[in-house]
Amino acid sequence: RTEVYGFGKGPGGAPPTATTLFEIGSITKVYTSLLLADAIQRREVSLDQPVSDLLPTGVSVPTRDHVAITLRHLALHSSGLPRLPPSILPNSPDPYAKLDENALYNDLQHTDLESAPGQQIVYSNYGVGLLGFALGKKLGGSYEKALATRILQPLGLHDTYVKVPPAAAARLATGTNDDLEPVPPWTFDALAGAGALISDAHDQLALIADELDAAAGGKQPLRAAMRLSQEPQLEDQAVNEGLGWQIDSKGRYWHNGGTAGFHTFVGFDPKSRHGIVVLCSTSVMTLDRLAD
């Protein structure tokens, strides 16, 4: 069964409900990696394919020690790319808004890798954002279009958006900082795949139910891609990574997210068949303790 509880003040001052919209931040990376897994299942790309293959001719992608960045490196945060592109000011009110396609290409040209691809795991919004952008180019149109067509529509996630439509705007919670003061929403362009999504508890619980069904061998849409994304990718480590998922020492899958005004968490345990979604309209990071 599914249970939803709302506390505090949501839109209109009432407690939030299953349909209240929140910025889910880096949980977007789960969706970006599922888009990658689906493209792999369709044999449109391969995990060890250089990301440069998916970008327009002439776009420069940094290398180090003659090692090219692959889609695997981007998904596992082992590309050597820093956390953020050089043109992003992390303390600005809406840091990702102005990073469009041309700005991304310029940043790639002026980025030095911190390590050779595949050597170190360092969390990178830059890397997964580039992955989403490249997949959008490869699959046609944009990241937003590819995600809607390949992932959101087949799974019936009708309240998960890169950009909230006017008809749904009244359901959007107001993000606040640690002092519960309102802050501007974040917007994304080229790096949407790193953290752009806005969603509600209903859709996130539906995703978790689908992931549990996939782990149990389900045959519904995208279940094979989900199983691929759940496969541990690191060797000889109790704490592991899937494609988009962190995997703890007990074999539980999770990802959290944070923007200037929101903090969020999704996770599931395929052994006990339990899942949890926590969506909060404040940036306080102690929220993760609730999930624990």
Side-chain angles (χ1 to χ4, degrees):
R1 67 180 184 271
T2 298
E3 300 177 2
V4 179
Y5 303 90
F7 303 92
K9 294 181 180 180
T17 70
T19 59
T20 300
L21 295 170
F22 297 77
E23 294 178 6
I24 64 172
S26 286
I27 294 173
T28 303
K29 295 176 173 67
V30 170
Y31 290 82
T32 300
S33 296
L34 183 56
L35 184 63
L36 168 62
D38 178 59
I40 291 170
Q41 291 286 319
R42 298 176 187 233
R43 300 189 178 182
E44 296 165 320
V45 301
S46 64
L47 201 50
D48 293 313
Q49 183 174 5
V51 67
S52 58
D53 289 356
L54 280 61
L55 298 174
T57 302
V59 173
S60 175
V61 178
T63 63
R64 182 159 175 170
D65 298 341
H66 306 293
V67 180
I69 296 173
T70 67
L71 305 185
R72 183 193 302 271
H73 296 144
L74 295 174
L76 297 181
H77 301 280
S78 63
S79 66
L81 289 168
R83 183 180 182 90
L84 296 173
S87 67
I88 283 185
L89 301 176
N91 294 323
S92 64
D94 192 5
Y96 296 89
K98 295 183 179 180
L99 201 141
D100 60 11
E101 181 172 353
N102 290 331
L104 175 59
Y105 295 157
N106 186 65
D107 274 344
L108 286 170
Q109 187 176 353
H110 294 93
T111 297
D112 293 323
L113 299 187
E114 296 177 344
S115 60
Q119 294 301 307
Q120 297 183 35
I121 294 176
V122 178
Y123 193 88
S124 175
N125 287 332
Y126 193 177
V128 183
L130 175 60
L131 174 62
F133 177 83
L135 288 170
K137 283 289 185 186
K138 173 67 176 180
L139 302 179
S142 66
Y143 170 79
E144 182 177 9
K145 180 180 178 181
L147 189 73
T149 303
R150 297 292 192 93
I151 306 299
L152 302 180
Q153 292 173 9
L155 294 179
L157 303 180
H158 302 304
D159 289 311
T160 301
Y161 314 101
V162 171
K163 298 180 180 68
V164 176
R171 294 192 283 116
L172 181 61
T174 299
T176 63
N177 60 22
D178 291 3
D179 297 320
L180 302 185
E181 294 295 329
V183 296
W186 276 9
T187 55
F188 289 78
D189 194 322
L191 294 188
L197 287 182
I198 296 169
S199 188
D200 62 13
H202 177 271
D203 271 15
Q204 296 312 299
L205 287 166
L207 173 73
I208 294 304
D210 291 342
E211 293 281 357
L212 287 169
D213 181 62
K219 304 297 184 182
Q220 297 299 311
L222 290 168
R223 298 309 193 263
M226 287 179 169
R227 283 190 287 274
L228 174 58
S229 73
Q230 293 173 14
E231 291 180 6
Q233 297 292 324
L234 308 181
E235 296 181 3
D236 303 322
Q237 292 194 33
V239 178
N240 216 303
E241 268 191 276
L243 299 178
W245 291 108
Q246 304 297 312
I247 309 172
D248 72 11
S249 59
K250 296 183 179 180
R252 299 175 297 193
Y253 293 76
W254 66 275
H255 210 295
N256 60 5
T259 63
F262 295 83
H263 199 77
T264 54
F265 182 98
V266 298
F268 64 95
D269 184 345
K271 300 182 184 69
S272 68
R273 295 186 57 79
H274 284 81
I276 186 170
V277 172
V278 187
L279 307 176
C280 185
S281 57
T282 181
S283 59
V284 61
M285 295 185 67
T286 51
L287 176 79
D288 287 345
R289 297 180 186 174
L290 287 175
D292 291 340

